[in-house]
Short mmCIF file of all heavy atoms in Angstrom, two decimals:
data_model
loop_
_atom_site.label_atom_id
_atom_site.label_comp_id
_atom_site.label_asym_id
_atom_site.label_seq_id
_atom_site.Cartn_x
_atom_site.Cartn_y
_atom_site.Cartn_z
N PRO A 100 111.22 78.02 -78.84
CA PRO A 100 111.65 76.81 -78.49
C PRO A 100 110.75 76.13 -77.40
O PRO A 100 110.80 74.84 -77.30
CB PRO A 100 113.08 76.95 -78.12
CG PRO A 100 113.33 78.31 -77.88
CD PRO A 100 112.27 79.06 -78.72
N PHE A 101 110.00 76.88 -76.59
CA PHE A 101 109.34 76.32 -75.53
C PHE A 101 107.97 76.08 -75.64
O PHE A 101 107.24 75.63 -74.73
CB PHE A 101 109.60 77.20 -74.27
CG PHE A 101 111.08 77.49 -73.89
CD1 PHE A 101 111.65 78.75 -74.23
CD2 PHE A 101 111.85 76.46 -73.61
CE1 PHE A 101 113.08 78.82 -74.09
CE2 PHE A 101 113.31 76.53 -73.35
CZ PHE A 101 113.86 77.89 -73.72
N ILE A 183 108.88 77.79 -68.08
CA ILE A 183 110.11 78.63 -68.28
C ILE A 183 109.63 80.11 -68.05
O ILE A 183 108.61 80.55 -68.54
CB ILE A 183 110.58 78.43 -69.68
CG1 ILE A 183 110.98 77.08 -69.90
CG2 ILE A 183 111.57 79.53 -70.14
CD1 ILE A 183 112.43 76.69 -69.32
N VAL A 184 110.52 80.87 -67.39
CA VAL A 184 110.26 82.25 -67.13
C VAL A 184 111.22 83.08 -68.03
O VAL A 184 112.42 83.01 -67.97
CB VAL A 184 110.56 82.75 -65.74
CG1 VAL A 184 110.19 84.14 -65.50
CG2 VAL A 184 109.57 81.89 -64.84
N PHE A 199 118.75 86.19 -63.64
CA PHE A 199 119.00 84.87 -63.21
C PHE A 199 119.13 84.64 -61.75
O PHE A 199 118.72 83.66 -61.24
CB PHE A 199 120.14 84.26 -64.00
CG PHE A 199 120.10 84.43 -65.43
CD1 PHE A 199 120.90 85.37 -66.16
CD2 PHE A 199 119.06 83.76 -66.24
CE1 PHE A 199 120.74 85.61 -67.51
CE2 PHE A 199 119.02 83.94 -67.55
CZ PHE A 199 119.83 84.90 -68.22
N ASP A 204 114.66 82.39 -66.48
CA ASP A 204 115.45 81.38 -67.15
C ASP A 204 116.06 81.91 -68.45
O ASP A 204 116.99 81.31 -69.01
CB ASP A 204 114.51 80.23 -67.57
CG ASP A 204 113.86 79.58 -66.20
OD1 ASP A 204 114.66 79.10 -65.45
OD2 ASP A 204 112.66 79.65 -66.13
N VAL A 205 115.37 82.93 -68.92
CA VAL A 205 115.86 83.62 -70.30
C VAL A 205 115.66 85.02 -70.08
O VAL A 205 114.70 85.54 -69.60
CB VAL A 205 115.09 82.96 -71.39
CG1 VAL A 205 115.42 83.68 -72.71
CG2 VAL A 205 114.93 81.50 -71.51
N THR A 226 119.92 86.08 -73.41
CA THR A 226 120.96 85.52 -72.53
C THR A 226 120.12 84.39 -71.76
O THR A 226 119.06 84.47 -71.42
CB THR A 226 121.42 86.62 -71.57
OG1 THR A 226 121.86 87.74 -72.19
CG2 THR A 226 122.62 86.05 -70.68
N CYS A 227 120.86 83.26 -71.69
CA CYS A 227 120.30 82.00 -71.27
C CYS A 227 121.10 81.44 -70.04
O CYS A 227 122.17 81.73 -69.71
CB CYS A 227 120.44 80.97 -72.46
SG CYS A 227 119.97 81.64 -73.95
N THR A 228 120.37 80.54 -69.32
CA THR A 228 121.00 79.64 -68.40
C THR A 228 121.55 78.45 -69.18
O THR A 228 121.34 78.35 -70.27
CB THR A 228 119.96 79.13 -67.37
OG1 THR A 228 119.07 78.45 -68.11
CG2 THR A 228 119.28 80.29 -66.65
N GLU A 229 122.38 77.60 -68.43
CA GLU A 229 122.82 76.42 -69.09
C GLU A 229 121.76 75.63 -69.64
O GLU A 229 121.73 75.08 -70.72
CB GLU A 229 123.56 75.62 -67.99
CG GLU A 229 124.96 75.02 -68.51
CD GLU A 229 125.63 74.43 -67.39
OE1 GLU A 229 125.75 74.96 -66.29
OE2 GLU A 229 126.16 73.23 -67.62
N ALA A 230 120.55 75.52 -68.90
CA ALA A 230 119.57 74.66 -69.26
C ALA A 230 118.74 75.14 -70.51
O ALA A 230 118.22 74.46 -71.34
CB ALA A 230 118.55 74.44 -68.13
N THR A 231 118.62 76.59 -70.61
CA THR A 231 117.82 77.12 -71.69
C THR A 231 118.64 77.40 -72.94
O THR A 231 118.05 77.71 -74.04
CB THR A 231 117.16 78.48 -71.20
OG1 THR A 231 117.96 79.38 -70.77
CG2 THR A 231 116.06 78.06 -70.29
N TYR A 232 119.95 77.36 -72.87
CA TYR A 232 120.88 77.78 -73.89
C TYR A 232 120.61 76.76 -75.18
O TYR A 232 120.44 77.23 -76.27
CB TYR A 232 122.32 77.80 -73.50
CG TYR A 232 123.16 78.18 -74.76
CD1 TYR A 232 123.17 79.38 -75.33
CD2 TYR A 232 124.05 77.18 -75.22
CE1 TYR A 232 123.98 79.63 -76.46
CE2 TYR A 232 124.90 77.43 -76.30
CZ TYR A 232 124.83 78.65 -76.89
OH TYR A 232 125.64 79.01 -77.97
N GLY A 233 120.63 75.53 -74.87
CA GLY A 233 120.57 74.51 -75.93
C GLY A 233 119.26 74.72 -76.85
O GLY A 233 119.45 74.93 -78.03
N PRO A 234 118.10 74.76 -76.28
CA PRO A 234 116.92 74.92 -77.10
C PRO A 234 116.93 76.26 -77.82
O PRO A 234 116.41 76.33 -79.00
CB PRO A 234 115.78 74.85 -76.06
CG PRO A 234 116.31 74.37 -74.84
CD PRO A 234 117.77 74.42 -74.91
N ILE A 235 117.47 77.27 -77.20
CA ILE A 235 117.41 78.62 -77.82
C ILE A 235 118.40 78.72 -78.97
O ILE A 235 118.09 79.23 -80.05
CB ILE A 235 117.67 79.76 -76.78
CG1 ILE A 235 116.37 79.89 -75.98
CG2 ILE A 235 118.06 81.08 -77.37
CD1 ILE A 235 116.41 80.88 -74.87
N ARG A 236 119.55 78.24 -78.67
CA ARG A 236 120.52 78.15 -79.85
C ARG A 236 120.09 77.42 -81.04
O ARG A 236 120.30 77.76 -82.18
CB ARG A 236 121.90 77.62 -79.29
CG ARG A 236 122.99 77.48 -80.23
CD ARG A 236 123.83 78.59 -80.31
NE ARG A 236 124.71 78.53 -81.52
CZ ARG A 236 125.66 79.48 -81.74
NH1 ARG A 236 125.91 80.35 -80.81
NH2 ARG A 236 126.45 79.25 -82.75
#
Side-chain angles (χ1 to χ4, degrees):
F101 303 108
I183 293 285
V184 179
F199 305 108
D204 304 294
V205 179
T226 311
C227 314
T228 61
E229 224 176 313
T231 55
Y232 177 67
I235 285 176
R236 176 88 189 190

